[in-house]
Amino acid sequence: MVKYSPRILNRTFAALADPTRRRILAHLARGDQCVSRLARPHAMSLPAVSKHLRVLEKAGLLRRRRYGRVHQLKLEAKPMEQAIRWIEEYRKFWDGSLDRLADYLERTNKQIGRKGRK
């Protein structure tokens, strides 16, 4: 099993848990944007959006650059790579478990079919 940093995973999943933050990341996936432009589609105040941005920034999911009074934001996907690897470990587990269940059900159905023909 691959070793993961619990702190990074916790911050990443906590940041991704909120739908507003996921929408912000989706906007940033299309390209760098300033804070005011990111705030426009959300029905909340600029300070509220800024709080979401700080959570994303602490999780390492975005990078902020200042040009005078303008804050330019860029998506940083690296923390998501570790989360994807963590999820992949469990996907392999569930795929294997479901394959074993399918095999079991197939064997059971064949046995029931044989008993029904007697």
Side-chain angles (χ1 to χ4, degrees):
M1 199 150 200
V2 180
K3 289 186 180 181
Y4 304 99
S5 167
R7 192 185 83 222
I8 292 172
L9 279 177
N10 291 345
R11 284 183 180 172
T12 301
F13 285 125
L16 295 174
D18 186 87
T20 299
R21 292 193 283 268
R22 290 193 304 269
R23 282 193 304 271
I24 289 170
L25 291 175
H27 290 294
L28 288 173
R30 294 184 211 122
D32 300 0
Q33 294 188 29
C34 65
V35 174
S36 58
R37 188 166 177 203
L38 276 174
R40 245 180 250 144
H42 304 284
M44 61 180 68
S45 67
L46 196 55
V49 171
S50 290
K51 285 182 181 181
H52 285 291
L53 295 174
R54 279 193 296 277
V55 171
L56 291 168
E57 197 170 11
K58 284 181 182 178
L61 293 167
L62 65 83
R63 185 172 12 148
R64 183 186 305 252
R65 291 186 192 156
R66 290 180 73 176
Y67 301 101
R69 295 179 71 185
V70 177
H71 291 237
Q72 192 73 19
L73 302 166
K74 177 182 180 141
L75 175 66
E76 288 290 330
K78 190 149 179 69
M80 283 189 257
E81 291 173 13
Q82 191 176 101
I84 289 167
R85 287 195 310 272
W86 184 85
I87 290 168
E88 182 65 20
E89 292 287 329
Y90 288 92
R91 187 193 63 78
K92 290 175 188 175
F93 166 78
W94 283 109
D95 283 351
S97 295
L98 292 173
D99 288 346
R100 287 189 299 279
L101 176 61
D103 291 343
Y104 170 78
L105 292 173
E106 210 172 292
R107 286 191 313 273
T108 304
N109 285 337
K110 285 180 184 178
Q111 289 172 355
I112 292 171
R114 282 189 219 135
K115 287 180 183 177
R117 286 188 231 151
K118 291 182 181 178

